[in-house]
Amino acid sequence: MIMDKSYFETAFLTRAKLLAVASLFALSMCFIPRAALARGAVSADVVATVSYDGASTGAPSSRSWYGDTLNLLNTQCFHDRYFDGNNVGIEMTASCPIDGTFTVSLLRVTNGRAAFVGSASFKRNGFTKATWEGVGSGTYRFVCKKPSDGKRVTSSDVAIYSW
């Protein structure tokens, strides 16, 4: 077999095209939204079950679990995350220079759009747990909000989960 310049040019172009197609395919997989595995969107506000007792943190065996931190001055959005259970919850032990509360809202994210599911009031100091039952599996976002009072609410043990 005689290998001249045109052979190497053809081989190089073929390999370059193959790599370009594979790269585009891999990149496109990063941006295609996951198909929702849950029932349709939640039609009405779902009331959260809220607990302020740190001793009873025993949620049923979790299916999806994520750890995070809270550093709240006004508004903090946690990353959109996929939950494979039918129920979703969040719990944390918060700390702040002053007492009071802040709001944690649960949003269901479908095709990049967020829909309000429900909210719960969390203590600025101490343990709070809120769960939303029967919301279905899917992608959710938690948003924490409080008034702009110059006081920061922090937590290093935020647990976000489903079961």
Side-chain angles (χ1 to χ4, degrees):
M1 173 189 250
I2 299 174
M3 294 185 206
D4 60 0
K5 182 178 175 185
S6 65
Y7 171 81
F8 289 110
E9 287 175 349
T10 303
F12 175 76
L13 289 174
T14 302
R15 209 173 256 149
K17 288 178 186 176
L18 180 63
L19 285 172
V21 169
S23 297
L24 285 173
F25 176 76
L27 188 60
S28 70
M29 293 306 290
C30 294
F31 295 106
I32 294 174
R34 283 185 230 183
L37 299 176
R39 300 180 298 237
V42 178
S43 60
D45 294 356
V46 177
V47 177
T49 303
V50 180
S51 168
Y52 299 107
D53 178 12
S56 64
T57 61
S61 177
S62 63
R63 295 180 70 172
S64 300
W65 185 92
Y66 304 96
D68 217 320
T69 59
L70 179 72
N71 190 5
L72 177 64
L73 195 53
N74 186 302
T75 301
Q76 178 176 334
C77 294
F78 290 103
H79 295 287
D80 295 358
R81 295 193 167 115
Y82 181 78
F83 295 94
D84 56 358
N86 194 42
N87 312 302
V88 178
I90 182 171
E91 61 185 61
M92 68 183 85
T93 302
S95 177
C96 183
I98 63 170
D99 285 335
T101 61
F102 63 96
T103 302
V104 176
S105 298
L106 176 64
L107 307 171
R108 183 180 184 89
V109 181
T110 307
N111 296 327
R113 300 181 70 117
F116 180 81
V117 175
S119 63
S121 182
F122 274 59
K123 296 191 312 186
R124 289 189 184 199
N125 286 293
F127 178 82
T128 309
K129 172 174 115 176
T131 59
W132 289 265
E133 296 187 14
V135 295
S137 60
T139 302
Y140 290 93
R141 176 186 310 151
F142 284 96
V143 179
C144 299
K145 289 186 179 182
K146 70 171 198 59
S148 297
D149 57 10
K151 305 300 180 190
R152 188 176 304 272
V153 180
T154 61
S155 178
S156 61
D157 68 348
V158 178
I160 304 170
Y161 51 90
S162 70
W163 73 97

